[in-house]
Amino acid sequence: AWLLDAGADEARPLPVVVTPRPERRVDPWVVRRVVQAKRAGLALRVLYQTMDQPEPSWRWISPMAFASDGVRWHLRAWNHDAGRHEDMLFPRMVDFDGERPAGASPVDEAWERVVEVRLRPAGRLSEGQRRVIEADYQMVGGEARLEVRAALLWLFLRRLGLDREDGLVEVANRAELVDIQAGLKARFAGS
C-alpha cells in the first residue's frame, strides 16, 4: 500500500504501475448457496464442469472448506458419488438441483495434514544471486519454511512456479513432497 501511495505525492510524483491480471469470477449467489448448505448440514446436487470431460455432470457434494491459491477460490467438498474429497472451482458449478441431509463425511486426511515446504535459492545461482533471493524471500539460514495443507500442495507449488525447474527458487525437500503427492494420487486413483 505504501508503494501505491508513493505516486500520490504531487511535489515529486513517482510512477507506480501494477501489472494487471484477469479477474477470476466468483458468483456471490453460488457462494451463498454453498455456505447455507454447510451451515444447515446439507449436501447439494451440483452440475459441475471438469476440464477432463467435454460436458458437465451431476454430483452430490457436501461442502467442507474454502481455500484460495491466491488467484482463484476453491471449495473443498466431499463428492458422495465418487466417494472422495475434491477441490472444486466456483465458476465450474453450472447449476444446482436439489439438496438433502449430508450425513457424515469421512475425515479429509489430505486437508487435515499440514506439510512443511522448504524453499531455497536455485542451485545454479551465483553466491551474489543467492544472497538477494534469500533476502527477497526472507530466508533464514538459506531457507524459507512454509506450512501448506497436503490437499493444497499441488496448487501451492504450481502458483509459485515450483513445479518447474527453471525458477530462481527451488524446493529443498522435493523428494519428500513428491512422495506425499504420489500417496495422495494413489489414494485418489483407488477411490
Side-chain angles (χ1 to χ4, degrees), residues 136-150:
D136 187 24
Y137 283 79
Q138 301 179 41
M139 295 181 181
V140 176
E143 287 189 348
R145 296 172 180 252
L146 303 156
E147 292 187 342
V148 179
R149 292 187 184 273

Side-chain angles (χ1 to χ4, degrees), residues 103-150:
S105 298
V107 172
D108 186 350
E109 293 175 20
W111 181 265
E112 296 299 325
R113 183 177 183 186
V114 175
V115 297
E116 182 179 70
V117 178
R118 295 186 351 249
L119 304 179
R120 66 182 176 210
R124 62 181 168 69
L125 299 179
S126 71
E127 188 59 38
Q129 291 169 327
R130 286 183 190 167
R131 279 194 304 273
V132 296
I133 294 300
E134 288 174 5
D136 187 24
Y137 283 79
Q138 301 179 41
M139 295 181 181
V140 176
E143 287 189 348
R145 296 172 180 252
L146 303 156
E147 292 187 342
V148 179
R149 292 187 184 273

Side-chain angles (χ1 to χ4, degrees), residues 4-184:
L4 292 174
D5 290 340
D9 181 7
E10 291 183 27
R12 293 189 176 161
L14 179 63
V16 177
V17 176
V18 176
T19 304
R21 67 176 182 197
E23 288 297 319
R24 304 305 288 263
R25 179 180 165 270
V26 177
D27 185 335
W29 180 87
V30 172
V31 174
R32 185 172 62 236
R33 182 88 189 258
V34 168
V35 169
Q36 288 172 340
K38 174 67 175 164
R39 287 181 178 158
L42 298 173
L44 295 170
R45 187 164 183 249
V46 177
L47 182 62
Y48 190 75
Q49 178 65 64
T50 66
M51 291 296 113
D52 59 355
Q53 297 292 321
E55 297 299 324
S57 60
W58 289 100
R59 60 192 66 193
W60 282 98
I61 64 162
S62 290
M64 307 299 286
F66 293 115
S68 174
D69 62 1
V71 177
R72 302 182 296 184
W73 281 96
H74 301 252
L75 172 68
R76 187 73 174 173
W78 172 252
N79 180 333
H80 293 266
D81 300 316
R84 65 179 175 233
H85 291 95
E86 295 180 344
D87 292 317
M88 305 174 76
L89 292 167
F90 290 101
R92 297 183 188 173
M93 294 178 194
V94 179
D95 198 4
F96 293 90
D97 180 29
E99 54 190 39
R100 67 179 191 202
S105 298
V107 172
D108 186 350
E109 293 175 20
W111 181 265
E112 296 299 325
R113 183 177 183 186
V114 175
V115 297
E116 182 179 70
V117 178
R118 295 186 351 249
L119 304 179
R120 66 182 176 210
R124 62 181 168 69
L125 299 179
S126 71
E127 188 59 38
Q129 291 169 327
R130 286 183 190 167
R131 279 194 304 273
V132 296
I133 294 300
E134 288 174 5
D136 187 24
Y137 283 79
Q138 301 179 41
M139 295 181 181
V140 176
E143 287 189 348
R145 296 172 180 252
L146 303 156
E147 292 187 342
V148 179
R149 292 187 184 273
L152 302 175
L153 183 58
W154 180 81
L155 292 170
F156 172 81
L157 295 173
R158 191 170 130 212
R159 181 190 60 168
L160 291 179
L162 297 168
D163 57 338
R164 300 186 327 257
E165 299 200 10
D166 60 347
L168 299 175
V169 176
E170 63 189 20
V171 179
N173 58 334
R174 182 173 296 282
E176 175 189 350
L177 300 183
V178 166
D179 288 346
I180 290 169
Q181 288 183 301
L184 293 173

